[in-house]
Amino acid sequence: MKLTDLITNSLAIGIGATVFMDIWALIQKHVFRQKTLDYALVGRWAGHLALGRRIGGHISSAAIIPNERALGWTIHYLTGVIFAAIFLAMIGEDWMQSPAIAPALLFGAVSVLAPFLILQPGLGAGIAASRTPEPNIARAKSLVTHLMFGLGLYLSALGLQMISGRGRPDQSGSGPIIFSGRTMASKSSAGMPSLIASSRRVVPFLWAVLAILAARS
């Protein structure tokens, strides 16, 4: 995949998947009455981190950072785009032509390691929410949220596929709008086998990590 195509596709499906994840968060908050992540706290953590300040305890007790909410939301969407770029770099351009749900969900599940090992400890919740009152419930909610991100990657790719008219040249003859800047014939997803092969190592590792964390909580 060309770099320009990778950037364009990553922006499109990364933002789309993050929006889908945020819709799920709104459903959690307003339908199920569950507490969701306050991205102002993410911005506060990032702001103190940038200033070289180490926060002891929960991030909510730290001093407020100017524009922390805007910073937190920017980090949230930038992370979504970066995750999408990693996913596309792993699976290859053919997935954009023939999106498959399984690799996207698998990637979403594996991506939960980022909040488990980076964000949650940074916010003072401990590794994989180990310092929260109900760590296993918090872990399950994080996993479902990241599965929604994976589903969002798939749905966003399907949306782009419909918009671009995959496999049919546009009026200028330059090919589909989004996928590669040239007309591409329909192919099977060549990147999927390699991702599935990798998952045979990654998925057992992920569940082993979850089991260890659950045992320690």
Side-chain angles (χ1 to χ4, degrees):
M1 183 180 293
K2 294 180 180 178
L3 180 59
T4 53
D5 298 328
L6 178 62
I7 293 172
T8 302
N9 291 333
S10 299
L11 283 169
I13 71 168
I15 291 174
T18 307
V19 168
F20 188 81
M21 186 168 67
D22 289 337
I23 292 172
W24 169 246
L26 288 174
I27 293 172
Q28 282 184 297
K29 182 176 181 179
H30 297 290
V31 177
F32 299 114
R33 303 297 179 184
Q34 295 177 347
K35 187 175 181 181
T36 57
L37 178 61
D38 183 357
Y39 287 99
L41 297 180
V42 176
R44 188 178 303 179
W45 168 63
H48 283 288
L49 194 65
L51 295 172
R53 298 172 184 165
R54 181 178 176 84
I55 304 300
H58 198 274
I59 190 65
S60 59
S61 63
I64 294 174
I65 296 291
N67 302 311
E68 61 182 25
R69 189 172 301 278
L71 176 59
W73 279 99
T74 299
I75 292 171
H76 175 50
Y77 273 83
L78 181 60
T79 301
V81 172
I82 292 172
F83 277 7
I86 293 171
F87 174 68
L88 291 177
M90 289 173 59
I91 200 167
E93 66 179 314
D94 287 343
W95 185 85
M96 289 297 297
Q97 301 174 64
S98 302
I101 191 170
L105 289 177
L106 173 61
F107 182 81
V110 173
S111 72
V112 79
L113 290 175
F116 279 179
L117 302 178
I118 300 173
L119 181 61
Q120 291 171 358
L123 297 181
I127 295 176
S130 60
R131 295 180 183 173
T132 59
E134 298 178 304
N136 286 331
I137 291 177
R139 291 163 189 159
K141 288 171 61 177
S142 294
L143 180 59
V144 171
T145 296
H146 279 254
L147 285 172
M148 291 297 173
F149 177 78
L151 180 58
L153 289 174
Y154 169 69
L155 294 176
S156 298
L158 281 184
L160 285 177
Q161 187 183 54
M162 290 187 291
I163 292 170
S164 69
R166 176 183 58 81
R168 292 183 287 106
D170 61 20
Q171 295 300 316
S172 66
S174 61
I177 298 170
I178 297 291
F179 295 126
S180 70
R182 67 181 186 275
T183 302
M184 297 184 293
S186 178
K187 304 175 184 178
S188 62
S189 182
M192 187 174 176
S194 62
L195 186 61
I196 292 176
S198 299
S199 73
R200 292 172 182 171
R201 296 185 296 270
V202 174
V203 171
F205 170 75
L206 173 62
W207 290 116
V209 170
L210 290 175
I212 293 170
L213 292 171
R216 293 181 61 184
S217 62

